[in-house]
Amino acid sequence: QVQLVESGGGLVQPGGSLRLSCAASGNIFGINVMGWYRQAPGKQRELVATITRGGSTDYADSVKGRFTLSRDNAKNTVYLQMNSLKPEDTSVYYCCAARGQITYWGQGTQVTVSS
């Protein structure tokens, strides 16, 4: 089993920044892709960004140029730096980690962008 512990969510004004962290522990052998999804009320969960163990990244079009995903393999941790936040970024953000066909999820952290 893999445990994912997220931190860094909160309330921020439009145009502000937040950094989310997600630390993986437990049976992490073979974990390749890690990343973040988000889900707003009444909407489906959507991809935000993913990163492979080798550092290759993939971003949703809606966050390109504003969000940066990085990874510290020694700490089994990924970081999502979110800049120029917009009200439409308001969601619960979920960390994920994949090993083959199995995906593990964190408990989610709320990000609210509002003035």
Side-chain angles (χ1 to χ4, degrees):
Q1 194 61 277
V2 174
Q3 293 78 45
L4 301 174
V5 178
E6 302 140 330
S7 61
L11 173 64
V12 64
Q13 292 187 341
S17 298
L18 281 175
R19 190 176 84 150
L20 305 183
S21 299
C22 173
S25 62
N27 183 16
I28 60 173
F29 177 80
I31 293 292
N32 180 20
V33 178
M34 294 185 68
W36 293 89
Y37 281 68
R38 66 187 182 187
Q39 186 168 19
K43 293 188 176 181
Q44 290 189 330
R45 191 171 295 190
E46 63 177 8
L47 168 73
V48 177
T50 59
I51 186 168
T52 67
R53 191 168 183 82
S56 295
T57 53
D58 184 33
Y59 294 93
D61 288 342
S62 59
V63 307
K64 283 180 181 177
R66 300 188 299 122
F67 291 11
T68 302
L69 183 61
S70 60
R71 181 168 179 166
D72 185 335
N73 289 326
K75 296 182 178 179
N76 300 306
T77 300
V78 292
Y79 306 95
L80 183 66
Q81 179 65 43
M82 304 186 294
N83 298 330
S84 302
L85 282 161
K86 304 174 181 180
E88 51 263 44
D89 294 318
T90 296
S91 284
V92 178
Y93 283 69
Y94 294 93
C95 178
C96 64
R99 175 169 51 219
Q101 298 301 311
I102 300 174
T103 301
Y104 301 92
W105 296 94
Q107 79 284 359
T109 186
Q110 177 70 45
V111 171
T112 302
V113 185
S114 176
S115 56

